[in-house]
Amino acid sequence: MDSQNYSTSEFRVFYEDTDVSGFVYHSKYFNFCERARSEMFFKLGLSPINNNSHFVVSEIKNAKFIKPAKFGEVLTVQTQTLAVKKCSILLKQTIFKNEMKFFEMKFFEMEILLAHLQGEKIAKIPEEIAKIFQ
C-alpha cells in the first residue's frame, strides 16, 4: 500500500466547537476527523452508509492532543490509509493548520481502526468501497 495515499478536508472552528477561552474542546477533534472520513465518500458522490453497509469505530490508538486550535481558525484534516484488510481499515488522521503553505502547525493526530458492518454483523469490505481508501 502506498503510504502517501491520503485525503484532506478543511473545516472552520465555530463558536460551538470551543470553550469559554476560545479553544477547541478535546472531543471536537474526533468530530472533525469523523467529518473528514465522511467527506471522503461525499467528494465522490457516495454515502458512507449504503445498503445497510457502513463502518464503525473499533479502536482509537495513539490519540495525541498537541496544541489547542482556536475559534475562527481553518483546520485541515489529513486522512491517511495505513492498512486495508478484509473487514477493517486502519487510518491515521492528523489535524493541522496551513500557515502560508510553508509551515504546518499540528494540533492533533490519531490512528483509528474502523470495522466494516453489514447490518449489525462484521462483513467483508466491498471492493468498490475499499478502493476509496487505496
Side-chain angles (χ1 to χ4, degrees):
M1 165 122 353
D2 180 5
S3 63
Q4 297 302 312
N5 181 23
Y6 63 89
S7 172
T8 60
S9 298
E10 289 188 348
F11 303 98
R12 182 171 303 279
V13 175
F14 292 111
Y15 184 71
E16 68 187 23
D17 300 320
T18 65
D19 60 19
V20 72
S21 67
F23 293 120
V24 172
Y25 288 114
H26 72 282
S27 63
K28 292 294 185 166
Y29 295 101
F30 296 109
N31 293 71
F32 293 139
C33 290
E34 182 75 37
R35 290 177 197 156
R37 293 192 304 272
S38 294
E39 280 296 327
M40 291 176 71
F41 287 84
F42 296 147
K43 287 176 182 177
L44 297 172
L46 302 171
S47 172
I49 302 170
N50 192 3
N51 295 326
N52 211 16
S53 170
H54 57 282
F55 289 93
V56 295
V57 174
S58 175
E59 184 177 354
I60 293 176
K61 303 176 179 190
N62 305 319
K64 296 178 185 170
F65 300 90
I66 300 161
K67 179 179 169 87
K70 299 174 191 166
F71 173 72
E73 292 181 317
V74 176
L75 306 180
T76 299
V77 181
Q78 178 179 300
T79 303
Q80 180 180 5
T81 303
L82 299 179
V84 177
K85 298 193 176 178
K86 181 179 170 186
C87 300
S88 66
I89 295 176
L90 179 63
L91 302 173
K92 178 178 181 180
Q93 292 190 278
T94 305
I95 300 178
F96 60 92
K97 178 173 119 178
N98 279 335
E99 291 194 345
M100 299 171 45
K101 302 294 181 188
F102 297 108
F103 176 73
E104 294 177 359
M105 182 184 303
K106 191 183 301 185
F107 296 108
F108 174 81
E109 69 182 3
M110 71 172 175
E111 290 181 10
I112 186 164
L113 182 64
L114 303 174
H116 180 259
L117 301 182
Q118 183 69 38
E120 295 180 11
K121 297 185 181 203
I122 293 176
K124 181 179 179 190
I125 301 169
E127 186 63 32
E128 62 274 10
I129 300 299
K131 285 181 183 178
I132 294 170
F133 296 95
Q134 296 174 338

